[in-house]
Amino acid sequence: AGKPRARLTAMCLDPAQHLNAVTKPLRGCVYFSATLSPLSDMRAFLGGDADDAMLSLPSPFPQENLLILRRDHATSYSARASTTRAVADTLAVFARACRGNLWACFPSYAYMNAVRAALLQIAPELSILAQSSRMSEAERGAFLDAFYSGGRMMGMIALGGSFGESVDLVGDRLSGVAIVGVGLPQVGPEREILRAYYEERVGDGFAYAYRIPGMHKVVQAAGRVIRSADDRGAVLLIDDRYARDEYIELLPPHWRDIYIARDDDQLRRRLDEFWNQC
C-alpha cells in the first residue's frame, strides 16, 4: 500500500489503415453522423479512398424555425476572468428573451460556476440548474425532468458532457441553447501527442487535435434545440473566434446566416422579433 504504480496507455493516433483493412474486403460500408465534418478529412480518417462517395444532406427541418446569433466576447482561457461579467450579462438577456427553457453550455465547470455566480447577482429572478461533474443516472434523469413544457428554467451544462447529445427535449422543453466558447478539448499530454502527429502528417495539428473536435461538440450541443419539424428555437454562439474563417467553415451550412449582435440591446431586439413571429 502507498507504493507508486506505473500505468501504460496505448493510443491509436490514426485508425485509418486498420479500418481500411477491415472494410476493404466488404461490398459496401456506410458511415453516417451529424458531425462528419469536414467530409474529406473524415473519409480519410475512417480509412476511405479518394474515390469513395461522400454525401452531405441539408437539415430536414424548416430553416426559419432556427435563429442563429453571435456575440463576440473573448472566452479563451486567458480572457475568462475579464469577460465573466459580460458573458453573464448576455446570458441574462438571452434567458429573459427566450420563450421556454434554455441551456447554457460551457468549456469547463470552473468557468460555468464563475458565470453562474455573476448571473445570480445580475438576474436573481432566473431559475438556474447546473450540472455537476459526477451525476448518477437518477440525478441525470431528474435534471432532464426539470425542463418540462411551459417552464422557464436555465440549465448550465458542460460541453461534450453527458447532456451534449442523445437528449430529446421537444417543443418548449428546450427553446434555446447558448454555447460559450468553441469547445476546444483540454490541453494534456495525450492531446498534445495527437497534435504533434497530425502536425507532422498534414501540417495543421491544432485543427485535428483541438479545433475540429471542439466544433463537433458545439454542433452536437446546438442540435438539442430543434428535434422535430415543429420545434422553434435560438442558438447563441458566444466567442470572438466564431468570426474567424477557420471556425466559420466548420459550421453546418444552414447556420451560415448568423445574426451578429454588436451589443446586448441588438441581441434582445432580434430575439423579440423572432419570438413575435410565432
Side-chain angles (χ1 to χ4, degrees):
K3 293 182 179 179
R5 295 181 178 181
R7 186 179 68 177
L8 178 66
T9 301
M11 285 181 63
C12 180
L13 296 173
D14 187 355
Q17 60 179 331
H18 306 292
L19 292 171
N20 182 271
V22 172
T23 58
K24 202 67 175 176
L26 304 177
R27 296 186 63 182
C29 184
V30 177
Y31 293 97
F32 64 93
S33 173
T35 52
L36 283 178
S37 174
L39 267 180
S40 57
D41 291 322
M42 296 300 108
R43 178 179 61 184
F45 294 161
L46 293 169
D49 298 321
D51 56 350
D52 288 331
M54 300 183 299
L55 176 64
S56 178
L57 296 173
S59 170
F61 303 129
Q63 226 171 315
E64 62 271 18
N65 286 1
L66 178 65
L67 174 65
I68 307 291
L69 310 113
R70 196 182 89 203
R71 278 290 275 128
D72 290 346
H73 297 307
T75 73
S76 62
Y77 185 79
S78 60
R80 290 175 189 172
S82 61
T83 59
T84 294
R85 174 58 188 254
V87 170
D89 284 335
T90 293
L91 287 176
V93 169
F94 189 59
R96 288 164 175 159
C98 278
R99 297 184 182 176
N101 302 308
L102 69 144
W103 281 2
C105 311
F106 293 85
S108 74
Y109 288 101
Y111 191 30
M112 178 180 76
N113 290 329
V115 173
R116 180 174 180 266
L119 192 57
L120 288 173
Q121 291 185 334
I122 296 165
E125 78 280 4
L126 295 180
S127 297
I128 301 174
L129 186 61
Q131 176 188 8
S132 60
S133 58
R134 294 179 181 177
M135 298 179 80
S136 66
E137 193 64 31
E139 290 171 330
R140 186 176 180 273
F143 183 93
L144 294 176
D145 289 342
F147 298 92
Y148 54 84
S149 182
R152 292 296 299 270
M153 178 76 72
M154 172 187 277
M156 289 188 163
I157 70 168
L159 266 177
S162 59
F163 298 114
E165 57 181 320
S166 303
V167 172
D168 289 311
L169 298 176
V170 179
D172 62 357
R173 288 193 66 195
L174 191 64
S175 297
V177 168
I179 301 172
V180 182
V182 291
L184 301 184
Q186 185 175 357
V187 176
E190 294 181 354
R191 190 62 55 174
E192 283 297 287
I193 291 171
L194 193 64
R195 182 196 60 75
Y197 172 81
Y198 281 107
E199 187 70 35
E200 182 177 347
R201 181 186 167 192
V202 298
D204 191 358
F206 183 83
Y208 297 106
Y210 292 97
R211 189 186 309 122
I212 292 174
M215 292 301 286
H216 285 175
K217 289 191 289 186
V218 168
V219 174
Q220 286 172 334
R224 302 313 97 209
V225 176
I226 304 293
R227 306 303 292 171
S228 76
D230 298 323
D231 280 7
R232 187 175 177 85
V235 172
L236 174 60
L237 306 174
I238 302 178
D239 196 290
D240 55 0
R241 285 168 288 190
Y242 287 113
R244 288 157 51 176
D245 288 343
E246 62 266 34
Y247 289 91
I248 293 173
E249 66 186 13
L250 294 174
L251 298 176
H254 63 286
W255 285 24
R256 299 301 165 86
D257 187 21
I258 299 177
Y259 179 82
I260 303 170
R262 303 299 179 187
D263 55 45
D264 287 340
D265 285 337
Q266 282 191 358
L267 177 67
R268 183 186 298 107
R269 288 195 296 269
R270 183 65 189 95
L271 284 162
D272 288 342
E273 291 173 0
F274 176 73
W275 289 112
N276 287 335
Q277 293 170 0
C278 296

